[in-house]
Amino acid sequence: MSDGHRQAQAAIQTILRLTNLLMAGKRVAVIGDEPELAARLRAMGAQTLLADPAAALRGHRVLAEDEAVALADLVIGATEAHLPLLRDGAILIPAVPPARPSGADEPSGTGEPPGADGEPPAGPSGIGDRPSGTGGIFAGLPGVRVRDGITGYRLGPGREVFVLDMSC
């Protein structure tokens, strides 16, 4: 099994475990180059929305990225630029930076593993007043922890989105 297959399956299992969603009928925008993930979501009955024109040959619906984000119930790979486009109740999985190669686990200079100061690293729910660990997308916005791994954010009157912490 290739790394792409393993990563896609792990992501789907985490999404299903955190949300308990039935993917059939959900509109899912997949931002970025994630063909395995999009294919698996489509096989589960989701309507996959992608910006890549070649994706139409694989059965995905092709839209402009902004339009796909605005229509989606679940957005995978979202960035700060997508926030104004999200619909009320959307579930968001922020884009994460690529994993560091093995052997690069130590932060430069300290020699201590991440979280060695006794505090766990901040996830989307943040810790106390610390900003969330969603890549800066929600820095400064107060979030309400809905349940383990899910944080809700108000983007304005009548607009709330939910962010999954994929590290759970």
Side-chain angles (χ1 to χ4, degrees):
M1 187 182 282
S2 74
D3 283 342
H5 291 288
R6 272 188 285 258
Q7 290 173 349
Q9 188 61 35
I12 288 173
Q13 287 176 335
T14 302
I15 292 167
L16 294 176
R17 182 175 44 82
L18 290 174
T19 64
N20 200 26
L21 282 178
L22 179 63
M23 286 295 159
K26 294 286 187 263
R27 290 175 296 214
V28 182
V30 181
I31 309 301
D33 187 26
E34 298 288 343
E36 292 293 332
L37 183 59
R40 286 175 184 263
L41 289 166
R42 186 172 182 280
M44 294 175 72
Q47 180 183 10
T48 50
L49 312 172
L50 283 79
D52 178 18
L57 297 173
R58 295 184 301 271
H60 306 291
R61 185 171 171 196
V62 176
L63 298 168
E65 190 173 293
D66 292 348
E67 190 177 348
V69 169
L71 289 174
D73 301 310
L74 175 66
V75 181
I76 300 173
T79 64
E80 193 169 346
H82 298 119
L83 284 180
L85 305 171
L86 293 170
R87 57 186 281 182
D88 183 39
I91 299 171
L92 176 68
I93 299 170
V96 293
R100 295 188 299 195
S102 60
D105 292 338
E106 292 183 10
S108 59
T110 64
E112 295 180 18
D117 58 355
E119 290 187 39
S125 59
I127 297 174
D129 294 329
R130 289 174 35 188
S132 66
T134 59
I137 293 179
F138 291 99
L141 285 177
V144 175
R145 186 175 179 175
V146 176
R147 59 183 255 196
D148 285 344
I150 302 177
T151 304
Y153 291 92
R154 284 225 181 264
L155 299 181
R159 283 190 60 226
E160 183 175 28
V161 297
F162 301 94
V163 178
L164 297 186
D165 178 4
M166 295 296 283
S167 67
C168 289

